[in-house]
Amino acid sequence: MSENFRSIETKFLDKTNRISFKYNGKKYYGYKGDTLASALLSNGVHLIGRSFKYHRPRGIMTCGSEEPNAIVQIGGNGSFTEPNVRATEQEIYEGLEASSQNCWPSVEFDIGGINNLISPVIPAGFYYKTFMWPKKLWYSLYEPAIRLSAGLGKSPTQPDPELYDHNHLHCDVLIVGGGISGIIAASISADNGNNTVLIDDKNSLGGSTIYQNDENFKINDEISSTWLDKKIKELKKKQNLTIKHRTSVAAFHGYNYLLARESLADHKSLDERLNKLRQRLWKIRAKKVILATGAIERPLIFNNNDRPGVMLANSVKKYIDFFGVKCGNKNIIFTNNDSAYETAISLNKKGIEVVVIDIRKNSSSTLVQTTKDAGIKIYWNHAIVNTSGYRRIKSIQIMEMSEDGTNVVGKKTSLLCDSLSISGGWTPMVHLFTQSGGKLKFRDADQVFLPNTVISDQISIGSCNGDFELDDVIKNTISECKNFLSASVIDYDLLKVSCPKQKESKNIWLLPNNKPLGKTKPFLDFQNDSTAKDIKLAMREGFKSIEHVKRYTTTGMGTDQGKLANMHALGIISETAGVKMGSLGTTTFRPPYTPLTFGTIVGRNVGTFFDITRKTPMHDWHKDHKAQFENVGQWKRAWYYPKDGENMYQAVQRESKAARESAGILDASTLGKIDIKGTDASEFLNRVYTNAWSKLGISKCRYGLMLNEDGMVYDDGVTTRLGENHYLMTTTTGGAANVLSKLEDYLQTEWPELDVWLTSVTDHFATASICGPNSKNILKKLFPNLDFNDENFPHMSFKNAEMDGINCRIMRISFTGEHSYEINIESKYGKSLWEKCMDAGKEFNITPYGTETMHLLRAEKGFIIVGQDTDGTMTPIDLQMDWIVSKKKYDFIGKRSLYRSDTMREDRKQLVGLLTDNPKEILEEGAQIVKNEKKQPIEMLGHVTSSYFSPNLNKSIALAVVKNGKKLKGQKLLVPMKDKTINVTVSDFIFFDSKNERLNA
Amino acid sequence: MFIINCPFCGERDQSEFSAGGEAHIVRPKQPTELSDDEWADFLFMRKNIKGIQFERWNHAHGCRKWFNVIRDTSNDKIHAVYKMGEKPPSI
């Protein structure tokens, strides 16, 4: 294998820049500009990997993004490794390490190859059929075994260390594809004053024309590649034009919104990319889009068409004419059309032995004439019936085809070869067009799907629009662009183009064989190992829809998404079912066009930038005092403040006791706050809360419950009347944004006549809540001039106050059941307020407490937390909060739903208290509650919503929702856990101070 | 991703908006007088049309205004936008 296969000079590589890389641990050399595939081929390496199911040896088939076989693992172990990289797209760089996938111990000798021998017993749907029973073996045996053999490549085991970026791009005209039609379009667009962007996925422009050196293809009497080369040079000087290389459009959405991945460093060595962006995801909004995505060659489907050394004919041509690499010394070309003759001529010119096998009976094309003139042997009306060679193709067997093409006849002829080029015609790349919502039409003449109708402002040009011949491509590209861009400046009008024309055509989706289908392996989807017989089997078993056949046989479901094989699958289905291909339709083309790394998708939004973090003005104080934080929505809330090595349980017990015995302080700044103003503010509150608001006096506070229109509890909080037409509503921390938008919705759409104005002021105020028997003493110290007499400042009332000349709002409200005040101050003074409270409270052992203690204290009082004790299926009646639902009000949001037959059912799940028989035993939140464990299936009555050990009661308490709970008070129920069953008794859900005596203590 | 022409702000990216379901469903003025079925009809029943659909949208990350959109759900083409309370334009 030491032979150098790069025998041909090429101007496309930098021969002065020799690069070493490793493949499967062995060192090889290539040149700057090589892809991994071209570099390996130049070293005579064809065998790249093993196929997914049968572990058959597979080699490089193509030279682009459609590659099904040559997918490799890049990088060694650890964080830089990346699986499933197409060797045909990866450029080599100094120090590149690549290895084969899906094989063990090596790609040369792979144990999994045994699957190939037993393939007759593992047909399509094998897994569905085989692992059905016995059922109990699924978890212990089948699933682990399947998982072990599933998947391609190895995932990195550490976080991706590379940098990714997102950026927006707006342009007048976006052109996708830098082949000849894309270049002409870009030139016309830019010349006519459009801000133009041209995107191409390769490192240089020109598509396949740039290496078209055949005398048969001429533009203005120059060889087409020479002409195009000049045009590209001109293009680079144009104003209004941006060219993006190594950029692949991943998705084309409606309204001309596209996502494109630009590779900035994938072709650079690890040293060169250090601290540089690896890839950038462009979010493009274009006024007009021109798709020039080209076409890819179709394989031919015959027995054992998958061996290393079997390649698409045009790819073989690119490897010679572009990379200067011959794919073998003895070449055979197998075709059904004229384009493959270009490859034959190219090979012959370089002095490489070549033979052509054509399924047609003849062709009058000038290309074929040139081939004949060169003395190349052509076998007309022949088909390949078998190939041999395990790790590299060695020989083929051909037979003559019968008159109607459905069979093979006569004697087998064997031909030796080390490279087989196949060509089954061309498939326009309509992926992006259909992603954007475009509908396809079918052209019977050459059996291709073509762009038909689409609503967004776009056109398809060149071979992705079904023009396969140079003169058509150029003529139609110019006229289409002229119309589409209303272009007046055109310097292409007088182009003279000459090229060979395709005359005879013949297409057979599944070529005939002398053996029955069941004894052959004609591969369709090379990556997923689905064959023509799998498709036929699926159809025999009753699958009719193309989408179903695809999923059952996994055709088109690999990382290449079946770019090569899907058309043949459709063809075979339509032939077998006797349905016209046009009416069969295609499977859905979904983004991304080629796989994207997660890094590209998330961009900079990783680590601390994953989501916005909201912190209260007192946050630094909490941090300095060793608080543990809890995420509540985007907020970081102090969870508990461990002291001297306390764990969470110990800290919460201490904090809870201190709050009830003397004084506790909580940062309540995160509660949602909505400022409500307007002459109809009272009426508005009447409509959105379940209780009555019209009679609430100025400077008074009231607790309100808000429902959804379906009658279920949505949010709750205390609202204070600050003035005649001015309220301050508080909402739950997590519900703030949703409540505001819900209220806006009603105001704007249902009740536009109300004079009400809503403003979110959550971030404008910081709130310190001080509770406990000494709270009043602390407040007195903080506000010496304020009258804290219970008569003048009773529970559920509000006063304005000043602290060092700064306005404060003080609400006497309580979520703990203790005598309690909430002090609101402009945010920027929040930390200072907190520190002053701590100072003033020092003599009373004021104890900061976090959300966990808050939850415990409110649970002792049986106060609900919306979202914890409720889940969108609880009415106020279910929560035993009938007292807050006004009977007098004619209407409020959700009222009518409380009288639906279902919401009135008495055996709904209702909020109750639970006491464990063993008072030391703490229930788990979320635990299921049952009555009878013996009777199967066990009826689930409900679940535990909140559970704590109460230090103030010295016993375990819990809230739960239980079916028909109101009537079960005093009854024994069971909470079955993994290792035991806990006995509980249904109780009242107010566990502590049920007469509310402490509020005024 | 659509471009939506907010009647108050002009053309903006879809990411600034949130969808609010079918338009022109008026909350009954006297819910208590409705039967369970009639109320359920208002509460739960929504059309899911393939074709021209009247929808509510909210410029949530913009002016916060609600407005109506006429959209063809089969191809996402927006035929018209109009303010709350206005009659749908004929298309």
Side-chain angles (χ1 to χ4, degrees):
Chain A
M1 281 289 175
S2 59
E3 187 186 341
N4 182 10
F5 285 80
R6 180 146 17 217
S7 50
I8 301 114
E9 277 307 310
T10 170
K11 60 175 178 172
F12 298 103
L13 296 186
D14 179 3
K15 283 264 181 128
T16 60
N17 200 343
R18 196 161 178 248
I19 286 171
S20 76
F21 65 98
K22 273 186 179 170
Y23 172 64
N24 285 337
K26 201 177 157 195
K27 198 168 184 178
Y28 294 96
Y29 291 93
Y31 295 105
K32 183 94 190 145
D34 258 329
T35 61
L36 181 57
S38 66
L40 286 171
L41 289 171
S42 77
N43 287 283
V45 178
H46 275 257
L47 175 60
I48 299 292
R50 293 279 177 155
S51 65
F52 185 53
K53 191 172 165 189
Y54 303 131
H55 290 252
R56 285 169 69 101
R58 292 280 165 79
I60 298 157
M61 267 198 91
T62 73
C63 58
S65 60
E66 69 270 33
E67 178 61 39
N69 288 339
I71 55 175
V72 295
Q73 186 95 24
I74 296 289
N77 285 320
S79 49
F80 276 97
T81 194
E82 186 179 0
N84 300 328
V85 176
R86 289 163 300 285
T88 49
E89 290 199 301
Q90 174 69 51
E91 292 174 52
I92 56 165
Y93 51 80
E94 191 59 43
L96 168 75
E97 283 183 50
S99 52
S100 297
Q101 296 183 164
N102 210 37
C103 52
W104 185 88
S106 78
V107 68
E108 301 280 334
F109 178 76
D110 173 25
I111 293 282
I114 189 120
N115 281 9
N116 187 36
L117 302 176
I118 61 164
S119 64
V121 295
I122 45 176
F126 169 68
Y127 292 95
Y128 304 127
K129 288 166 185 161
T130 310
F131 298 114
M132 295 298 288
W133 39 261
K135 205 175 164 185
K136 64 182 173 187
L137 281 184
W138 178 254
Y139 290 108
S140 59
L141 183 63
Y142 298 151
E143 195 188 341
I146 293 170
R147 279 195 186 282
L148 208 65
S149 61
L152 283 169
K154 286 178 299 203
S155 308
T157 51
Q158 285 153 26
D160 190 340
E162 301 209 70
L163 290 172
Y164 301 86
D165 201 12
H166 285 184
N167 213 336
H168 292 270
L169 195 156
H170 297 263
C171 58
D172 295 330
V173 180
L174 176 77
I175 295 146
V176 185
I180 187 164
S181 50
I183 286 164
I184 292 173
S187 165
I188 293 173
S189 171
D191 285 348
N192 284 275
N194 296 305
N195 167 17
T196 306
V197 176
L198 171 64
I199 284 185
D200 189 67
D201 62 352
K202 302 275 194 301
N203 60 8
S204 59
L205 296 179
S208 59
T209 309
I210 198 66
Y211 54 89
Q212 178 58 275
N213 301 320
D214 194 308
E215 296 280 343
N216 288 304
F217 298 83
K218 282 195 169 163
I219 305 171
N220 281 356
D221 298 325
E222 287 179 301
I223 288 179
S224 57
S225 58
T226 313
W227 181 86
L228 185 63
D229 197 38
K230 278 194 224 156
K231 287 292 149 196
I232 292 172
K233 290 199 175 96
E234 284 170 30
L235 199 66
K236 287 178 179 161
K237 292 183 203 138
K238 287 200 195 290
Q239 304 284 313
N240 310 326
L241 177 70
T242 310
I243 302 172
K244 291 206 171 296
H245 296 291
R246 296 189 179 96
T247 304
S248 165
V249 172
F252 187 177
H253 297 290
Y255 291 74
N256 283 351
Y257 182 73
L258 299 93
L259 297 174
R261 177 207 50 216
E262 183 179 19
S263 277
L264 298 160
D266 288 288
H267 58 293
K268 292 187 177 156
S269 71
L270 294 187
D271 290 344
E272 285 175 302
R273 11 174 143 166
L274 205 66
N275 299 322
K276 298 236 170 66
L277 281 178
R278 182 187 173 203
Q279 293 178 352
R280 180 181 279 129
L281 187 72
W282 289 99
K283 302 175 177 181
I284 305 167
R285 186 75 81 173
K287 287 188 189 136
K288 287 170 180 281
V289 175
I290 298 177
L291 293 175
T293 47
I296 56 176
E297 197 164 23
R298 293 175 184 171
L300 287 167
I301 309 305
F302 54 93
N303 186 23
N304 289 321
N305 58 346
D306 66 324
R307 302 197 185 279
V310 179
M311 299 172 70
L312 297 181
N314 82 306
S315 300
V316 170
K317 181 172 179 343
K318 179 163 186 181
Y319 285 117
I320 311 168
D321 289 341
F322 190 91
F323 293 106
V325 174
K326 54 180 175 175
C327 296
N329 290 320
K330 267 182 98 59
N331 289 269
I332 293 175
I333 292 171
F334 183 30
T335 184
N336 67 1
N337 65 87
D338 294 332
S339 68
Y341 287 83
E342 294 175 32
T343 309
I345 295 165
S346 260
L347 287 166
N348 179 264
K349 264 194 204 162
K350 315 288 182 312
I352 303 163
E353 194 182 326
V354 60
V355 169
V356 180
I357 296 153
D358 199 319
I359 69 166
R360 299 173 298 174
K361 286 179 178 159
N362 61 65
S363 165
S364 50
S365 163
T366 48
L367 279 173
V368 175
Q369 193 53 49
T370 310
T371 308
K372 284 179 183 165
D373 293 347
I376 297 168
K377 165 92 178 151
I378 303 170
Y379 291 87
W380 294 107
N381 197 30
H382 273 70
I384 299 180
V385 292
N386 203 0
T387 67
S388 65
Y390 188 59
R391 293 186 190 92
R392 175 81 181 264
I393 191 156
K394 282 194 184 118
S395 69
I396 61 166
Q397 292 183 319
I398 60 171
M399 284 176 83
E400 193 166 352
M401 291 172 57
S402 65
E403 195 58 33
D404 60 356
T406 58
N407 218 332
V408 281
V409 293
K411 261 175 51 181
K412 268 190 255 178
T413 310
S414 267
L415 300 172
L416 294 178
C417 65
D418 59 357
S419 166
L420 175 63
S421 307
I422 54 177
S423 176
W426 295 85
T427 301
M429 286 291 91
V430 294
H431 294 62
L432 295 179
F433 171 80
T434 55
Q435 278 182 22
S436 73
K439 302 275 178 271
L440 301 171
K441 61 184 176 203
F442 189 70
R443 187 164 74 194
D444 281 313
D446 51 354
Q447 305 196 295
V448 289
F449 282 101
L450 296 175
N452 191 15
T453 56
V454 68
I455 67 153
S456 59
D457 210 357
Q458 61 164 301
I459 51 167
S460 295
I461 56 169
S463 57
C464 74
N465 198 34
D467 289 334
F468 297 125
E469 283 157 8
L470 189 66
D471 53 350
D472 294 339
V473 168
I474 292 176
K475 190 180 76 202
N476 293 338
T477 294
I478 293 168
S479 67
E480 294 271 340
C481 289
K482 216 165 146 181
N483 285 338
F484 183 58
L485 302 173
S486 308
S488 52
V489 188
I490 308 265
D491 54 7
Y492 290 105
D493 272 350
L494 300 169
L495 278 188
K496 200 172 90 193
V497 183
S498 62
C499 69
K501 303 296 280 182
Q502 171 95 20
K503 301 249 170 60
E504 293 75 9
S505 69
K506 179 174 190 174
N507 185 42
I508 299 174
W509 293 114
L510 172 60
L511 290 163
N513 205 291
N514 57 325
K515 284 191 237 170
L517 182 63
K519 293 247 180 339
T520 63
K521 283 209 180 71
F523 285 94
L524 284 175
D525 184 323
F526 294 85
Q527 193 176 106
N528 273 352
D529 274 346
S530 63
T531 64
K533 61 185 172 190
D534 292 326
I535 301 273
K536 296 219 172 190
L537 175 71
M539 296 187 72
R540 274 206 306 283
E541 291 182 359
F543 292 93
K544 289 194 181 86
S545 152
I546 170 68
E547 296 282 4
H548 291 155
V549 173
K550 164 182 164 173
R551 280 156 186 81
Y552 191 60
T553 61
T554 72
T555 303
M557 290 173 71
T559 60
D560 60 332
Q561 291 283 288
K563 290 188 182 75
L564 294 185
N566 280 350
M567 283 303 291
H568 300 82
L570 288 169
I572 292 167
I573 292 170
S574 77
E575 269 173 15
T576 312
V579 184
K580 281 198 155 185
M581 260 181 99
S583 59
L584 195 65
T586 64
T587 54
T588 312
F589 299 98
R590 290 194 182 83
Y593 178 70
T594 51
L596 294 175
T597 61
F598 283 110
T600 315
I601 295 165
V602 296
R604 304 251 174 181
N605 300 327
V606 291
T608 48
F609 298 118
F610 178 66
D611 195 10
I612 292 161
T613 303
R614 298 173 80 183
K615 295 172 183 166
T616 74
M618 294 82 141
H619 185 85
D620 288 343
W621 190 95
H622 305 321
K623 228 171 111 185
D624 292 344
H625 290 78
K626 308 280 182 287
Q628 296 294 305
F629 290 92
E630 178 183 27
N631 294 328
V632 183
Q634 291 171 327
W635 287 101
K636 294 277 171 207
R637 292 199 73 178
W639 195 7
Y640 59 99
Y641 301 78
K643 256 188 183 172
D644 312 324
E646 282 175 333
N647 62 21
M648 173 161 149
Y649 175 80
Q650 291 160 334
V652 169
Q653 295 290 305
R654 172 180 53 75
E655 290 169 14
S656 306
K657 250 179 125 55
R660 295 232 189 268
E661 281 170 4
S662 180
I665 180 167
L666 171 84
D667 180 356
S669 309
T670 63
L671 282 186
K673 294 179 272 290
I674 300 169
D675 187 275
I676 303 173
K677 273 187 179 168
T679 49
D680 293 317
S682 305
E683 171 61 17
F684 180 64
L685 290 174
N686 256 336
R687 297 187 190 184
V688 299
Y689 278 131
T690 60
N691 46 346
W693 288 79
S694 6
K695 291 195 183 124
L696 182 70
I698 292 171
S699 293
K700 296 289 177 197
C701 313
R702 183 164 288 170
Y703 173 77
L705 200 60
M706 204 181 281
L707 309 184
N708 256 332
E709 205 69 271
D710 62 5
M712 304 304 160
V713 172
Y714 181 71
D715 204 81
D716 68 345
V718 170
T719 294
T720 303
R721 188 167 194 176
L722 301 174
E724 175 65 28
N725 295 321
H726 190 190
Y727 290 84
L728 181 70
M729 173 188 279
T730 59
T731 72
T732 58
T733 297
N738 290 337
V739 170
L740 181 69
S741 68
K742 180 185 162 95
L743 298 184
E744 276 289 348
D745 187 353
Y746 275 92
L747 267 181
Q748 289 180 34
T749 67
E750 298 295 349
W751 309 319
E753 71 282 4
L754 293 186
D755 172 37
V756 176
W757 305 90
L758 306 176
T759 311
S760 166
V761 292
T762 303
D763 294 292
H764 302 45
F765 294 99
T767 310
S769 171
I770 301 177
C771 76
N774 278 315
S775 57
K776 192 195 277 186
N777 294 327
I778 296 168
L779 267 282
K780 274 181 184 166
K781 281 176 72 181
L782 288 167
F783 302 95
N785 301 327
L786 210 61
D787 181 1
F788 282 97
N789 186 305
D790 280 347
E791 273 171 35
N792 295 326
F793 198 173
H795 182 56
M796 298 307 266
S797 66
F798 149 81
K799 273 183 195 293
N800 278 310
E802 270 190 15
M803 178 183 274
D804 300 336
I806 310 299
N807 289 329
C808 298
R809 286 168 175 167
I810 306 174
M811 281 84 171
R812 188 174 158 190
I813 52 180
S814 174
F815 191 42
T816 59
E818 294 298 313
H819 192 126
S820 171
Y821 300 90
E822 278 188 15
I823 310 167
N824 289 275
I825 198 165
E826 206 182 318
S827 280
K828 60 182 167 184
Y829 304 112
K831 189 164 175 240
S832 151
L833 165 71
W834 183 271
E835 284 162 349
K836 283 188 196 320
C837 293
M838 292 304 297
D839 274 353
K842 201 166 187 183
E843 61 177 296
F844 305 103
N845 182 32
I846 190 168
T847 301
Y849 66 90
T851 48
E852 193 63 22
T853 293
M854 173 185 83
H855 288 180
L856 190 159
L857 294 173
R858 65 87 207 179
E860 289 178 338
K861 284 291 293 177
F863 293 147
I864 58 153
I865 290 182
V866 173
Q868 174 160 347
D869 302 299
T870 73
D871 62 359
T873 65
M874 303 293 287
T875 69
I877 321 300
D878 298 337
L879 294 169
Q880 307 210 37
M881 289 172 81
D882 314 43
W883 53 271
I884 204 171
V885 180
S886 166
K887 301 275 187 299
K888 288 182 194 149
K889 282 202 290 186
Y890 179 73
D891 192 14
F892 55 82
I893 297 173
K895 172 161 180 164
R896 175 62 185 82
S897 289
L898 298 178
Y899 302 94
R900 290 172 53 229
S901 57
D902 186 59
T903 43
M904 300 227 306
R905 265 192 304 120
E906 296 212 337
D907 63 344
R908 289 173 61 84
K909 282 184 186 166
Q910 291 143 358
L911 186 76
V912 294
L914 286 186
L915 292 172
T916 47
D917 287 4
N918 170 3
K920 297 282 173 215
E921 184 121 58
I922 307 166
L923 294 171
E924 250 180 62
E925 286 174 1
Q928 305 287 294
I929 301 162
V930 305
K931 171 90 183 160
N932 186 347
E933 269 187 301
K934 301 273 159 21
K935 196 181 146 229
Q936 294 212 344
I938 304 172
E939 190 192 3
M940 198 274 266
L941 297 177
H943 67 279
V944 178
T945 59
S946 299
S947 172
Y948 307 90
F949 187 82
S950 160
N952 301 302
L953 297 160
N954 199 26
K955 66 177 179 188
S956 153
I957 57 168
L959 300 176
V961 291
V962 176
K963 202 173 171 199
N964 206 12
K966 284 182 203 173
K967 292 200 177 133
L968 294 179
K969 205 190 272 186
Q971 289 210 33
K972 298 264 182 205
L973 294 175
L974 303 171
V975 178
M977 302 303 293
K978 200 172 180 186
D979 50 354
K980 63 185 166 185
T981 296
I982 303 169
N983 296 303
V984 295
T985 306
V986 179
S987 72
D988 190 8
F989 57 79
I990 304 172
F991 302 99
F992 187 78
D993 184 28
S994 55
K995 289 185 183 138
N996 288 334
E997 285 161 346
R998 300 178 69 91
L999 284 175
N1000 294 310
Chain B
M1 190 147 50
F2 317 158
I3 290 174
I4 299 172
N5 189 7
C6 168
F8 304 94
C9 307
E11 286 190 346
R12 293 289 191 281
D13 210 279
Q14 186 189 347
S15 58
E16 292 185 17
F17 298 84
S18 58
E22 192 180 336
H24 303 299
I25 293 176
V26 181
R27 188 176 188 272
K29 289 270 179 277
Q30 295 166 319
T32 46
E33 283 160 32
L34 299 183
S35 69
D36 269 11
D37 283 349
E38 285 166 329
W39 180 247
D41 215 38
F42 156 73
L43 199 55
F44 301 122
M45 302 313 280
R46 296 291 181 273
K47 289 184 201 126
N48 187 11
I49 300 164
K50 182 179 181 183
I52 300 290
Q53 181 163 282
F54 296 77
E55 305 174 328
R56 292 161 10 108
W57 284 78
N58 181 222
H59 196 181
H61 300 286
C63 62
R64 280 174 30 196
K65 284 284 191 186
W66 284 91
F67 57 94
N68 297 312
V69 167
I70 306 178
R71 180 174 68 102
D72 187 334
T73 59
S74 69
N75 57 18
D76 288 335
K77 183 172 177 174
I78 293 176
H79 290 272
V81 293
Y82 53 102
K83 292 178 183 171
M84 281 294 157
E86 289 180 354
K87 281 223 170 79
S90 53
I91 55 159

